[in-house]
Amino acid sequence: MPKTPISRRLAEAAVALFDENGYDATTVDDIAARAGVSRSTFFRYYRSKEDAIFPDHDALLAQVDARLRASTAGTAIVAITDAVRLVLAHYVDDAEVSLRRYQLVHKVPALRDREIASVARYQRLFREFVGEWLAGSPDADLRAELMAASVVAAHNQVLRGWLRAGGTYDPFGPLDHALGYVIATFRHLEQPRESDQVVVATFSRQASPEAVMAAIQQHLSSDS
């Protein structure tokens, strides 16, 4: 059987000790000893004891950023939904730690504050991406803030529901459903393609259908 990665062993040890002894009473040395590694090994993986039970947000944020930067204006919303799925997958793939962390966060203010700070980092990343995408359009900063907040809220609502249910179902269907509301709200922000341009014309009531069609065809030909 393959060995459990050290990072996971440390995370499992931290969660178990926080639950058994309390967050304040648990030290880095305790976590390292429970995981069967040295104190110096602990600090090769985590900067503090609370870091041990949270996802590697730096690496995850880098993945999200890379997915967003790989998109174009025409695929921006698809990139955002893909990026949100990456974040959810990170929690689902380590479900045992995620579920136990959820219980601890409600008990320990320091962990709750850390979680809030982490959420803000994701929202800022989405806001900056959408802001660049909408640059130059009216109310770009406001719309970017609203969209980023909506995306993060959709993810968090689905994640909390899955955690409350003990991770007993696949949360990606509900996530797609929740993001559907976000997409429906913000789809109109995508930059229009040339084929999506609308022509508006006015004619006299007395104009014949043939004259109307001829005028429209002439206009379209002159724009092509």
Side-chain angles (χ1 to χ4, degrees):
M1 295 291 291
K3 292 183 178 180
T4 303
I6 292 175
S7 60
R8 182 177 176 83
R9 281 161 50 195
L10 287 166
E12 291 174 345
V15 169
L17 288 168
F18 290 163
D19 195 35
E20 293 169 12
N21 304 328
Y23 171 79
D24 292 330
T26 300
T27 67
V28 167
D29 289 332
D30 294 333
I31 297 170
R34 174 69 69 92
V37 302
S38 66
R39 176 185 175 89
S40 60
T41 297
F42 175 94
F43 284 112
R44 283 204 294 270
Y45 290 90
Y46 300 107
R47 290 171 292 189
S48 64
K49 63 182 183 180
E50 62 266 22
D51 280 346
I53 69 163
F54 283 96
D56 185 349
H57 287 296
D58 289 338
L60 186 53
L61 281 162
Q63 292 181 42
V64 170
D65 184 64
R67 177 63 189 94
L68 294 175
R69 301 300 164 190
S71 68
T72 64
T75 60
I77 286 182
V78 173
I80 289 171
T81 58
D82 285 351
V84 175
R85 289 173 67 89
L86 281 174
V87 178
L88 182 61
H90 200 87
Y91 286 89
V92 173
D93 290 345
D94 203 3
E96 182 179 349
V97 171
S98 297
L99 291 166
R100 297 184 73 177
R101 180 197 305 119
Y102 176 68
Q103 299 299 324
L104 285 168
V105 164
H106 286 75
K107 302 176 185 177
V108 182
L111 298 180
R112 190 159 55 248
D113 292 343
R114 172 61 189 276
E115 184 178 57
I116 291 170
S118 298
V119 170
R121 294 179 68 190
Y122 289 96
Q123 186 163 328
R124 181 169 62 250
L125 181 60
F126 283 115
R127 182 181 68 241
E128 291 172 353
F129 170 70
V130 177
E132 292 176 7
W133 164 37
L134 298 176
S137 64
D139 293 325
D141 290 343
L142 173 60
R143 291 187 290 168
E145 189 74 60
L146 293 173
M147 186 172 188
S150 297
V151 166
V152 171
H155 170 271
N156 289 347
Q157 195 274 344
V158 170
L159 176 60
R160 283 193 298 269
W162 176 76
L163 291 169
R164 284 195 296 267
T168 55
Y169 61 86
D170 182 347
F172 290 96
L175 179 64
D176 291 339
H177 178 72
L179 289 174
Y181 286 105
V182 178
I183 293 170
T185 302
F186 294 99
R187 174 68 77 180
H188 67 283
L189 300 182
E190 288 184 319
Q191 296 181 6
R193 303 177 182 85
E194 290 185 3
S195 59
D196 295 331
Q197 293 178 349
V198 176
V199 176
V200 178
T202 59
F203 297 91
S204 166
R205 288 178 179 273
Q206 286 74 37
S208 66
E210 292 78 11
V212 170
M213 290 302 301
I216 292 174
Q217 289 175 353
Q218 181 179 0
H219 180 81
L220 293 176
S221 299
S222 66
D223 286 345
S224 60

